[in-house]
């Protein structure tokens, strides 16, 4: 990851003490507060809720952002350690003008970040994100005098509110009747306590590992196969029905089957969608890099899948626009708008347990029913100019494929697809291909590698 402070539509991310300092966080709070005041035309008594993941750098960064917001006259509701999706739920619950999450998601412990949400619980669209960035850069803050400063208010309702929203989209009794044994790995992040409580309410017998929100991650925090060997073993030794893994801010969810086998984050959204499409008719949205499993499931139910550029904000926007019944991203992020427009591991857990309970099938059986694809994700070094050349060479090579150019190039073939996109933050091109059959997917990846040589 780059050594500089990254400012994007979802907020800023950097290395604590190096480029993400308390004064940077304070100024960002001032910029966001100023932006909110301008956009609401100086509405009285605006509040913003703020939460954080479990990183040890979180409390002070949170206070710094809160102090910036208070200086602009905004009241700040402190939610303390909560999952990112919980902040989205509370923004709407409390009628806040916006929300802030102090998190660096799945990045290592030396990182932290500041994620911004508007009143609709979504990241600011690009033009608004640019306005905030400009206010921050130029330090154009609208500060108030001492009488009009905002207050800091603490709120401890988040767990209860979020859990009740999640329970409202499933049937608790059906799940509880199965008495599932579940192993949960929250990697010492923000998800441990609330997710244990949800699972307990669902009548599960929960074995929680790394559930204390210490911010000292027991393993590398991204919920990938190589980082979850401990969870896989625990699922086997506990004879559990399923294992769940969250990232530190609990928006991503990975699944381990009853045999202790990691079945991959791509399945999280697909399995959640399988349940939703069995109950409701409608459409789905996901990004261009996500598995075709979702298209198969939607198609069987008479629905469509809207594809968007990579990024939660794009997916959520498409879901709202098309009134989608389910959406998310292939990195284990499930979005159900009835709860919030944010990827939510608690939503994923509830929908997947409901699917298991209603079908009476094991998670490995359910995964086998929708699988059958091979996916390869890789990347290679390329600066902006090289990336452009590679993409246009690919366009010539795959001239017969259906092409989507909304985020890099995505080529759709009869037997699979290939997505090439240059990273915004690093000098690399990401390559994702999926097809039925290992040889076919290899063929697409090799063709791209040949171009790069
Ligand atoms: Mg995350």
């Amino acid at each position: 990851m780059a050594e500089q402070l990254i400012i994007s539509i979802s907020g800023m991310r950097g290395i604590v003490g190096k480029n993400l300092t308390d004064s940077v966080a304070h100024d960002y709070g001032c910029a966001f507060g100023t932006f909110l005041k301008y956009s609401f035309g100086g509405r009285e008594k605006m509040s913003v809720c703020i939460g954080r993941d479990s990183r040890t750098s979180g409390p002070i960064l949170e206070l710094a952002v809160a102090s910036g917001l208070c200086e602009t006259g905004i009241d700040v509701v402190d939610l303390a350690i909560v999952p990112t999706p919980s902040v989205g739920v509370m923004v709407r619950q409390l009628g806040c003008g916006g929300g802030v999450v102090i998190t660096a998601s799945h990045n290592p412990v030396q990182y932290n970040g500041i994620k911004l949400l508007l009143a609709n619980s979504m990241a600011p669209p690009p033009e608004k994100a640019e306005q905030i960035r400009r206010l921050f850069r130029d330090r154009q803050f609208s500060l108030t005098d001492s009488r009009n400063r905002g207050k800091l208010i603490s709120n401890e309702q988040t767990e209860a509110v979020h859990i009740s929203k999640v329970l409202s989209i499933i049937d608790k009794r059906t799940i509880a009747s199965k008495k599932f044994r579940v192993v949960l790995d929250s990697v010492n992040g923000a998800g441990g306590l609330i997710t244990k409580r949800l699972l307990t309410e669902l009548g599960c017998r929960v074995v929680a590992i790394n559930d204390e929100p210490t911010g000292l991650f027991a393993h590398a925090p991204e919920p990938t196969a190589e980082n979850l060997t401990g969870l896989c073993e625990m699922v086997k030794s506990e004879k559990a029905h399923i294992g769940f893994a969250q990232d530190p801010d609990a928006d991503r969810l990975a699944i381990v089957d009853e045999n202790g086998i990691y079945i991959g984050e791509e399945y999280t959204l697909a399995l959640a969608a399988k349940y939703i499409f069995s109950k409701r008719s409608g459409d789905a949205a996901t990004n261009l890099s996500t598995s075709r499993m979702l298209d198969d499931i939607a198609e069987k139910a008479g629905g469509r899948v809207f594809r968007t550029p990579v990024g939660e904000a794009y997916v959520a926007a498409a879901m709202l626009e098309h009134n989608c019944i389910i959406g998310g991203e292939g990195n284990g992020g499930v979005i159900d708008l009835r709860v919030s427009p944010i990827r939510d591991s608690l939503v994923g857990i509830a929908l997947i347990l409901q699917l298991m309970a209603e079908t009476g099938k094991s998670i490995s059986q359910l995964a086998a029913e929708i699988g059958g694809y091979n996916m390869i994700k890789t990347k290679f070094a390329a600066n902006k100019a090289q990336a452009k050349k590679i993409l246009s060479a690919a366009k010539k090579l795959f001239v017969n494929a259906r092409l989507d150019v909304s985020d890099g190039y995505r080529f759709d073939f009869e037997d699979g697809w290939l997505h090439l996109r240059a990273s915004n933050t690093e000098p690399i091109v990401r390559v994702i291909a999926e097809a039925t059959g290992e040889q076919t997917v290899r063929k697409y990846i090799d063709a791209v590698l040949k171009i790069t040589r």
Side-chain angles (χ1 to χ4, degrees):
M1 184 173 292
E3 289 292 296
Q4 84 249 30
L5 188 67
I6 296 162
I7 304 183
S8 68
I9 65 163
S10 56
M12 65 164 62
R13 188 170 293 176
I15 298 173
V16 177
K18 194 163 184 183
N19 45 41
L20 181 54
T21 59
D22 298 348
S23 67
V24 163
H26 168 268
D27 286 358
Y28 205 46
C30 291
F32 188 40
T34 303
F35 164 83
L36 289 175
K37 277 190 349 187
Y38 286 158
S39 38
F40 283 77
R43 189 180 98 185
E44 293 278 313
K45 277 283 138 235
M46 191 193 302
S47 62
V48 163
C49 61
I50 184 165
R52 62 177 194 269
D53 73 21
S54 60
R55 281 161 215 268
T56 52
S57 58
I60 301 300
L61 282 174
E62 184 188 322
L63 272 182
V65 176
S67 107
L69 285 162
C70 288
E71 280 185 53
T72 67
I74 288 175
D75 287 342
V76 176
V77 184
D78 175 13
L79 308 176
I81 296 178
V82 291
T84 291
S86 300
V87 178
V89 167
M90 291 304 278
V91 165
R92 295 206 288 194
Q93 175 78 10
L94 302 172
C96 292
V100 178
V101 196
I102 310 296
T103 178
S105 190
H106 57 277
N107 288 283
V109 75
Q110 62 268 36
Y111 289 88
N112 214 330
I114 305 169
K115 211 174 153 150
L116 305 179
L117 304 175
L118 299 184
N120 59 4
S121 300
M122 287 170 56
E127 69 282 2
K128 290 188 176 170
E130 180 52 29
Q131 284 173 30
I132 299 164
R133 201 183 65 84
R134 229 179 296 131
L135 290 168
F136 168 73
R137 186 195 60 198
D138 301 339
R139 302 181 47 89
Q140 287 213 335
F141 307 145
S142 161
L143 306 182
T144 57
D145 60 30
S146 63
R147 279 173 310 160
N148 295 303
R149 293 266 146 130
K151 298 187 293 290
L152 190 61
I153 307 150
S154 87
N155 183 308
E156 292 172 1
Q157 295 305 306
T158 310
E159 267 191 20
V161 173
H162 190 176
I163 286 175
S164 80
K165 293 252 184 245
V166 174
L167 293 178
S168 75
I169 65 168
I170 44 115
D171 177 28
K172 182 172 147 176
R173 278 169 311 176
T174 315
I175 298 176
S177 72
K178 297 290 178 180
K179 299 189 171 58
F180 288 126
R181 286 186 301 282
V182 177
V183 183
L184 172 69
D185 182 349
S186 305
V187 70
N188 308 101
L193 304 181
I194 185 172
T195 311
K196 260 197 303 192
R197 181 164 158 187
L198 172 71
L199 288 166
T200 307
E201 289 211 24
L202 291 173
C204 299
R205 203 202 73 187
V206 192
V207 177
I209 55 173
N210 311 319
D211 53 325
E212 288 299 321
T214 58
L216 306 170
F217 307 141
H219 54 75
E222 193 163 18
T224 52
E226 59 274 21
N227 297 334
L228 297 176
T229 49
L231 173 63
C232 293
E233 280 164 26
M234 192 67 100
V235 168
K236 264 200 290 192
S237 64
E238 292 291 327
K239 297 190 170 49
H241 294 93
I242 192 165
F244 290 120
Q246 299 168 307
D247 73 336
D249 66 322
D251 58 350
R252 283 169 64 175
L253 177 71
I255 302 167
V256 171
D257 76 13
E258 74 280 8
N259 305 307
I261 294 168
Y262 175 87
I263 63 171
E265 286 183 287
E266 289 290 335
Y267 280 87
T268 307
L269 173 59
L271 288 162
K274 189 177 162 78
Y275 170 69
I276 290 287
F277 276 108
S278 74
K279 292 285 157 190
R280 306 173 66 197
S281 54
D283 300 318
T286 191
N287 70 37
L288 289 164
S289 285
T290 297
S291 171
R292 256 189 197 179
M293 288 188 282
L294 182 62
D295 303 67
D296 298 345
I297 292 161
E299 198 183 316
K300 251 190 213 160
R304 284 170 299 175
V305 176
F306 296 96
R307 292 274 174 178
T308 74
V310 173
E312 171 181 44
Y314 296 109
V315 176
M319 288 181 71
L320 277 174
E321 186 187 342
H322 302 290
N323 201 17
C324 293
I325 55 174
I326 190 78
E329 298 191 286
N331 61 3
V334 180
I335 302 174
D336 188 317
L337 294 176
R338 294 171 295 178
V339 177
S340 91
I342 297 185
R343 292 175 306 200
D344 190 338
S345 62
L346 281 77
V347 166
I349 286 171
L351 294 177
I352 288 163
L353 290 177
Q354 185 78 33
L355 177 68
M356 288 167 64
E358 286 194 14
T359 59
K361 292 177 184 172
S362 68
I363 191 65
S364 66
Q365 277 177 303
L366 290 162
E369 284 176 3
I370 57 172
Y373 289 111
N374 292 78
M375 187 184 260
I376 296 179
K377 299 182 185 189
T378 183
K379 60 187 172 184
F380 51 85
N383 60 33
K384 284 250 167 341
Q386 290 166 328
K388 210 172 159 189
K389 271 191 196 161
I390 291 163
L391 262 67
S392 63
K395 191 176 169 183
K396 281 186 199 134
L397 182 63
F398 302 120
V399 71
N400 293 322
R402 186 157 49 85
L403 178 63
D404 184 319
V405 298
S406 55
D407 183 13
Y409 286 169
R410 164 151 165 155
F411 303 95
D412 266 277
F413 314 100
E414 207 43 56
D415 56 0
W417 56 270
L418 172 70
H419 187 202
L420 302 176
R421 56 187 286 269
S423 164
N424 292 324
T425 51
E426 297 166 87
I428 56 167
V429 169
R430 294 187 192 282
V431 187
I432 302 109
E434 183 183 55
T436 38
E438 211 172 324
Q439 279 181 341
T440 315
V441 72
R442 202 63 259 175
K443 177 183 78 187
Y444 292 128
I445 294 285
D446 288 346
V448 175
L449 291 179
K450 210 167 156 191
I451 294 172
T452 66
R453 290 187 211 114

